[in-house]
Amino acid sequence: MTRIVADISVSLDGFVTGPDPGPVGGLGTGGDALHTWAFSDDPEDRRVLSEATARSGAVVLGRHLFDLVDGPNGWNDTVGYGAREVGKPAFVVVTSSPPESVRLTDLDWTFVTTGLPDAVTAARGRAEAASADSGKDLDVVLMGGGATVGSALDAGLADVLTLHLAPVVLGSGTPLFTGAVPRTLVQRRVTPTSTATHLTYDVLR
């Protein structure tokens, strides 16, 4: 069964970027510490990342995040989706206006201009098709940024919430939860490592 998985790294004080994120430093001041786990050699970090990448049938991201990963300092042949795993699922971008060109032309991009629910629907279709082709269940991953993941949770679009809790206090930045709609979560997995605590919850609707 294809699940909709909201997956994001977050600080202890609830921020998904540090202060002053921008086109060059997309994670803001100190924000790189949020993703230390993704480049760690800790065996449990590697397992968490590998399993998540392998289960990704399609990925949803917002336009701001797309501009970062497709920008000159973004993904390359060594570092991409899944960090060093460099997975290549279908990517669905929520945007009010598609870009005129794409740098990462070897990836499968779809741009949806009619809102997040339609983007999730499009991604589900791609993930289900990939599941049929591969013979195994693949998920839709809501990669971010924070506004995309937060909006999906508020709208009841996510089945699963996975947080990679980094041992850092950023003080300010982009918060994950701002006036969020109350949701009941059921804790399914806690994996502590040397660089993060990986938390997985089912989202009840």
Side-chain angles (χ1 to χ4, degrees):
M1 181 183 71
T2 295
R3 305 172 303 168
I4 311 300
V5 180
D7 187 304
I8 197 163
S9 297
V10 63
S11 69
L12 289 174
D13 50 346
F15 295 103
V16 296
T17 76
D20 303 317
V24 176
L27 291 173
T29 303
D32 286 346
L34 296 172
H35 289 193
T36 298
W37 73 271
F39 299 94
S40 164
D41 290 324
D42 184 299
E44 282 299 283
D45 285 326
R46 302 309 307 163
R47 181 186 62 77
V48 168
L49 185 64
S50 295
E51 288 180 359
T53 303
R55 280 193 62 93
S56 298
V59 175
V60 176
L61 61 159
R63 176 59 187 270
H64 176 68
L65 182 55
F66 165 79
D67 287 341
L68 292 175
V69 301
D70 194 57
N73 298 313
W75 290 346
N76 53 45
D77 290 340
T78 303
V79 176
Y81 178 72
R84 290 178 294 181
E85 300 292 323
V86 194
K88 294 186 177 181
F91 294 93
V92 178
V93 181
V94 189
T95 179
S96 58
S97 58
E100 294 182 1
S101 62
V102 173
R103 178 178 66 87
L104 298 169
T105 55
D106 60 327
L107 298 181
D108 179 355
W109 297 103
T110 299
F111 298 92
V112 174
T113 60
T114 51
L116 181 57
D118 286 346
V120 170
T121 297
R124 185 190 292 275
R126 299 301 300 275
E128 289 175 345
S131 297
D133 289 342
S134 67
K136 61 181 181 180
D137 288 336
L138 298 175
D139 297 327
V140 173
V141 178
L142 304 175
M143 177 184 173
T148 300
V149 169
S151 295
L153 290 170
D154 287 349
L157 296 174
D159 302 307
V160 177
L161 173 62
T162 298
L163 298 178
H164 309 285
L165 187 63
V168 59
V169 175
L170 294 173
S172 63
T174 305
L176 178 57
F177 302 110
T178 55
V181 174
R183 295 286 173 200
T184 299
L185 307 178
V186 177
Q187 185 168 284
R188 293 303 186 195
R189 182 183 298 176
V190 179
T191 304
T193 73
S194 60
T195 61
T197 302
H198 306 285
L199 305 165
T200 300
Y201 304 94
D202 286 344
V203 182
L204 300 186
R205 303 186 186 184

mmCIF file of all heavy atoms in Angstrom, residues 36-42 46 49 77-87:
data_model
loop_
_atom_site.group_PDB
_atom_site.id
_atom_site.type_symbol
_atom_site.label_atom_id
_atom_site.label_comp_id
_atom_site.label_asym_id
_atom_site.label_seq_id
_atom_site.Cartn_x
_atom_site.Cartn_y
_atom_site.Cartn_z
ATOM 1 N N THR A 36 23.259 16.501 9.639
ATOM 2 C CA THR A 36 24.488 15.751 9.906
ATOM 3 C C THR A 36 24.243 14.255 9.812
ATOM 4 O O THR A 36 25.070 13.496 9.283
ATOM 5 C CB THR A 36 25.035 16.114 11.301
ATOM 6 O OG1 THR A 36 25.359 17.504 11.328
ATOM 7 C CG2 THR A 36 26.264 15.303 11.641
ATOM 8 N N TRP A 37 23.099 13.812 10.306
ATOM 9 C CA TRP A 37 22.792 12.378 10.333
ATOM 10 C C TRP A 37 22.783 11.770 8.924
ATOM 11 O O TRP A 37 23.150 10.603 8.750
ATOM 12 C CB TRP A 37 21.436 12.146 11.006
ATOM 13 C CG TRP A 37 20.266 12.557 10.182
ATOM 14 C CD1 TRP A 37 19.671 13.783 10.144
ATOM 15 C CD2 TRP A 37 19.548 11.744 9.243
ATOM 16 N NE1 TRP A 37 18.628 13.792 9.246
ATOM 17 C CE2 TRP A 37 18.529 12.555 8.681
ATOM 18 C CE3 TRP A 37 19.664 10.416 8.825
ATOM 19 C CZ2 TRP A 37 17.638 12.084 7.728
ATOM 20 C CZ3 TRP A 37 18.775 9.941 7.862
ATOM 21 C CH2 TRP A 37 17.775 10.769 7.331
ATOM 22 N N ALA A 38 22.352 12.560 7.921
ATOM 23 C CA ALA A 38 22.221 12.030 6.563
ATOM 24 C C ALA A 38 23.575 11.732 5.918
ATOM 25 O O ALA A 38 23.638 10.994 4.931
ATOM 26 C CB ALA A 38 21.432 12.995 5.692
ATOM 27 N N PHE A 39 24.638 12.306 6.466
ATOM 28 C CA PHE A 39 25.978 12.078 5.923
ATOM 29 C C PHE A 39 26.863 11.331 6.924
ATOM 30 O O PHE A 39 28.065 11.226 6.746
ATOM 31 C CB PHE A 39 26.610 13.416 5.548
ATOM 32 C CG PHE A 39 25.829 14.146 4.487
ATOM 33 C CD1 PHE A 39 24.871 15.089 4.839
ATOM 34 C CD2 PHE A 39 26.025 13.850 3.154
ATOM 35 C CE1 PHE A 39 24.129 15.747 3.859
ATOM 36 C CE2 PHE A 39 25.286 14.501 2.162
ATOM 37 C CZ PHE A 39 24.337 15.452 2.515
ATOM 38 N N SER A 40 26.225 10.808 7.956
ATOM 39 C CA SER A 40 26.937 10.108 9.014
ATOM 40 C C SER A 40 27.331 8.699 8.562
ATOM 41 O O SER A 40 26.688 8.101 7.702
ATOM 42 C CB SER A 40 26.027 10.020 10.251
ATOM 43 O OG SER A 40 26.486 9.060 11.160
ATOM 44 N N ASP A 41 28.382 8.187 9.186
ATOM 45 C CA ASP A 41 28.761 6.796 8.955
ATOM 46 C C ASP A 41 28.215 5.864 10.030
ATOM 47 O O ASP A 41 28.528 4.667 10.036
ATOM 48 C CB ASP A 41 30.287 6.671 8.893
ATOM 49 C CG ASP A 41 30.863 7.315 7.636
ATOM 50 O OD1 ASP A 41 30.203 7.230 6.582
ATOM 51 O OD2 ASP A 41 31.953 7.914 7.718
ATOM 52 N N ASP A 42 27.411 6.392 10.943
ATOM 53 C CA ASP A 42 26.760 5.556 11.944
ATOM 54 C C ASP A 42 25.885 4.528 11.221
ATOM 55 O O ASP A 42 25.055 4.893 10.378
ATOM 56 C CB ASP A 42 25.902 6.437 12.861
ATOM 57 C CG ASP A 42 25.269 5.664 14.003
ATOM 58 O OD1 ASP A 42 24.488 4.731 13.723
ATOM 59 O OD2 ASP A 42 25.529 6.007 15.167
ATOM 60 N N ARG A 46 22.757 5.178 8.505
ATOM 61 C CA ARG A 46 22.816 4.684 7.129
ATOM 62 C C ARG A 46 21.607 3.806 6.822
ATOM 63 O O ARG A 46 21.033 3.877 5.729
ATOM 64 C CB ARG A 46 24.098 3.882 6.884
ATOM 65 C CG ARG A 46 25.410 4.604 7.129
ATOM 66 C CD ARG A 46 25.525 5.931 6.439
ATOM 67 N NE ARG A 46 25.261 5.864 5.015
ATOM 68 C CZ ARG A 46 24.975 6.922 4.259
ATOM 69 N NH1 ARG A 46 24.894 8.120 4.814
ATOM 70 N NH2 ARG A 46 24.759 6.799 2.975
ATOM 71 N N LEU A 49 18.399 5.969 6.432
ATOM 72 C CA LEU A 49 18.413 6.689 5.160
ATOM 73 C C LEU A 49 18.206 5.736 3.983
ATOM 74 O O LEU A 49 17.408 6.021 3.077
ATOM 75 C CB LEU A 49 19.735 7.438 5.008
ATOM 76 C CG LEU A 49 19.848 8.339 3.776
ATOM 77 C CD1 LEU A 49 18.837 9.480 3.850
ATOM 78 C CD2 LEU A 49 21.257 8.897 3.650
ATOM 79 N N ASP A 77 25.942 14.686 -8.923
ATOM 80 C CA ASP A 77 26.020 13.237 -9.121
ATOM 81 C C ASP A 77 26.398 12.486 -7.857
ATOM 82 O O ASP A 77 26.204 11.271 -7.758
ATOM 83 C CB ASP A 77 27.038 12.907 -10.215
ATOM 84 C CG ASP A 77 26.562 13.332 -11.591
ATOM 85 O OD1 ASP A 77 25.344 13.515 -11.748
ATOM 86 O OD2 ASP A 77 27.404 13.494 -12.487
ATOM 87 N N THR A 78 26.957 13.203 -6.884
ATOM 88 C CA THR A 78 27.399 12.561 -5.642
ATOM 89 C C THR A 78 26.393 12.733 -4.521
ATOM 90 O O THR A 78 26.145 11.813 -3.739
ATOM 91 C CB THR A 78 28.753 13.133 -5.193
ATOM 92 O OG1 THR A 78 29.705 12.946 -6.246
ATOM 93 C CG2 THR A 78 29.256 12.458 -3.932
ATOM 94 N N VAL A 79 25.802 13.905 -4.423
ATOM 95 C CA VAL A 79 24.853 14.217 -3.357
ATOM 96 C C VAL A 79 23.526 14.630 -3.984
ATOM 97 O O VAL A 79 23.465 15.593 -4.749
ATOM 98 C CB VAL A 79 25.379 15.350 -2.453
ATOM 99 C CG1 VAL A 79 24.323 15.726 -1.415
ATOM 100 C CG2 VAL A 79 26.680 14.941 -1.781
ATOM 101 N N GLY A 80 22.492 13.871 -3.657
ATOM 102 C CA GLY A 80 21.176 14.181 -4.196
ATOM 103 C C GLY A 80 20.101 13.714 -3.241
ATOM 104 O O GLY A 80 20.309 13.718 -2.028
ATOM 105 N N TYR A 81 18.957 13.311 -3.761
ATOM 106 C CA TYR A 81 17.903 12.796 -2.903
ATOM 107 C C TYR A 81 18.407 11.551 -2.195
ATOM 108 O O TYR A 81 18.962 10.641 -2.819
ATOM 109 C CB TYR A 81 16.654 12.454 -3.718
ATOM 110 C CG TYR A 81 15.559 11.876 -2.857
ATOM 111 C CD1 TYR A 81 14.869 12.693 -1.973
ATOM 112 C CD2 TYR A 81 15.249 10.520 -2.895
ATOM 113 C CE1 TYR A 81 13.887 12.169 -1.152
ATOM 114 C CE2 TYR A 81 14.270 9.999 -2.084
ATOM 115 C CZ TYR A 81 13.588 10.828 -1.209
ATOM 116 O OH TYR A 81 12.619 10.307 -0.387
ATOM 117 N N GLY A 82 18.223 11.516 -0.872
ATOM 118 C CA GLY A 82 18.801 10.430 -0.100
ATOM 119 C C GLY A 82 20.258 10.673 0.218
ATOM 120 O O GLY A 82 20.980 9.726 0.550
ATOM 121 N N ALA A 83 20.693 11.958 0.132
ATOM 122 C CA ALA A 83 22.087 12.325 0.398
ATOM 123 C C ALA A 83 23.012 11.487 -0.471
ATOM 124 O O ALA A 83 22.898 11.510 -1.693
ATOM 125 C CB ALA A 83 22.405 12.194 1.887
ATOM 126 N N ARG A 84 23.886 10.696 0.125
ATOM 127 C CA ARG A 84 24.829 9.908 -0.670
ATOM 128 C C ARG A 84 24.170 8.708 -1.342
ATOM 129 O O ARG A 84 24.794 8.036 -2.167
ATOM 130 C CB ARG A 84 25.990 9.440 0.218
ATOM 131 C CG ARG A 84 26.899 10.578 0.633
ATOM 132 C CD ARG A 84 27.996 10.120 1.545
ATOM 133 N NE ARG A 84 27.505 9.648 2.829
ATOM 134 C CZ ARG A 84 28.285 9.210 3.814
ATOM 135 N NH1 ARG A 84 29.596 9.174 3.645
ATOM 136 N NH2 ARG A 84 27.771 8.810 4.957
ATOM 137 N N GLU A 85 22.913 8.436 -0.994
ATOM 138 C CA GLU A 85 22.204 7.338 -1.650
ATOM 139 C C GLU A 85 21.853 7.693 -3.099
ATOM 140 O O GLU A 85 21.780 6.841 -3.972
ATOM 141 C CB GLU A 85 20.916 7.009 -0.895
ATOM 142 C CG GLU A 85 21.130 6.577 0.539
ATOM 143 C CD GLU A 85 21.811 5.233 0.636
ATOM 144 O OE1 GLU A 85 21.533 4.358 -0.199
ATOM 145 O OE2 GLU A 85 22.632 5.061 1.544
ATOM 146 N N VAL A 86 21.598 8.975 -3.343
ATOM 147 C CA VAL A 86 21.248 9.492 -4.663
ATOM 148 C C VAL A 86 20.160 8.650 -5.319
ATOM 149 O O VAL A 86 20.349 8.025 -6.357
ATOM 150 C CB VAL A 86 22.490 9.603 -5.585
ATOM 151 C CG1 VAL A 86 22.159 10.459 -6.809
ATOM 152 C CG2 VAL A 86 23.660 10.255 -4.845
ATOM 153 N N GLY A 87 18.989 8.640 -4.695
ATOM 154 C CA GLY A 87 17.841 7.975 -5.286
ATOM 155 C C GLY A 87 17.229 8.831 -6.387
ATOM 156 O O GLY A 87 17.410 10.043 -6.425
#
